[in-house]
Amino acid sequence: EHKRERFEYQFFEIPFAMEAGTIVRILDQYSYGEYAVLDHGEDEWNKYMEKMARINKTGGVDFSDIQIVVWKLGTDGIWRHEHVNPLYLEKEMPEVEEGYVNSQSYYDAMCAMSEYIKNSTKENNFNAIRATQAYAEAWGNTFECRGAYDIENLFDGYWNDEEE
């Protein structure tokens, strides 16, 4: 049972020094070995930790609240967000396996999304859409991402609640 008063479920602040757009490998039990792109970086993380520390004074948070948003690419061309504890992330690029178009197109899409998150220009938006579509097409999936005019049309419905 998950009880906040138990030691192993306590909230604690941890440092995090990666920048938004960094490509990472997830090492938790749910998505082990999968790659993702960080949605937020160190500045946003520090603000989040301050907010959680304030809330924690009343006992309202626990270990599960130590999380950062990452984007994972599905074979259908949809970027799905996931909340992962930064302790389970490592900076790592996916390997490209020669002869596998899926592997190269996945790598290209991850890099394009990384660039878009770092600098959301029209050119980076276009490049992220094209690379995402190419990846979906490599898997024979085009319906979900056909006609996208903004990379955020290919997000799973996550809305940034940074202002809250």
Side-chain angles (χ1 to χ4, degrees), residues 59-127:
V61 295
D62 60 29
F63 181 77
S64 69
D65 294 302
I66 305 170
Q67 56 183 309
I68 195 160
V69 175
V70 298
W71 291 100
K72 295 184 347 184
L73 178 57
T75 57
D76 57 358
I78 300 298
W79 288 92
R80 290 175 175 79
H81 82 281
E82 192 168 299
H83 301 259
V84 181
N85 185 311
L87 292 173
Y88 301 114
L89 297 175
E90 69 179 1
K91 184 177 178 178
E92 183 179 319
M93 296 292 290
E95 291 184 22
V96 176
E97 298 177 45
E98 284 202 35
Y100 291 94
V101 68
N102 303 24
S103 177
Q104 183 64 56
S105 61
Y106 180 73
Y107 181 88
D108 294 344
M110 296 295 284
C111 290
M113 177 59 107
S114 172
E115 288 305 313
Y116 171 75
I117 291 175
K118 290 175 185 177
N119 187 12
S120 56
T121 64
K122 286 184 181 183
E123 179 182 4
N124 286 345
N125 178 62
F126 176 77
N127 292 339

Side-chain angles (χ1 to χ4, degrees), residues 12-18 42 45-46 49 66 85-87:
F12 57 93
E13 294 182 50
I14 61 172
F16 183 71
M18 290 189 213
E42 183 177 12
W45 176 255
N46 290 336
M49 282 288 99
I66 305 170
N85 185 311
L87 292 173

Side-chain angles (χ1 to χ4, degrees), residues 3 9 15 34 57 74 84 90 120:
K3 294 183 179 182
Y9 295 117
E34 293 184 44
K57 289 179 182 176
V84 181
E90 69 179 1
S120 56

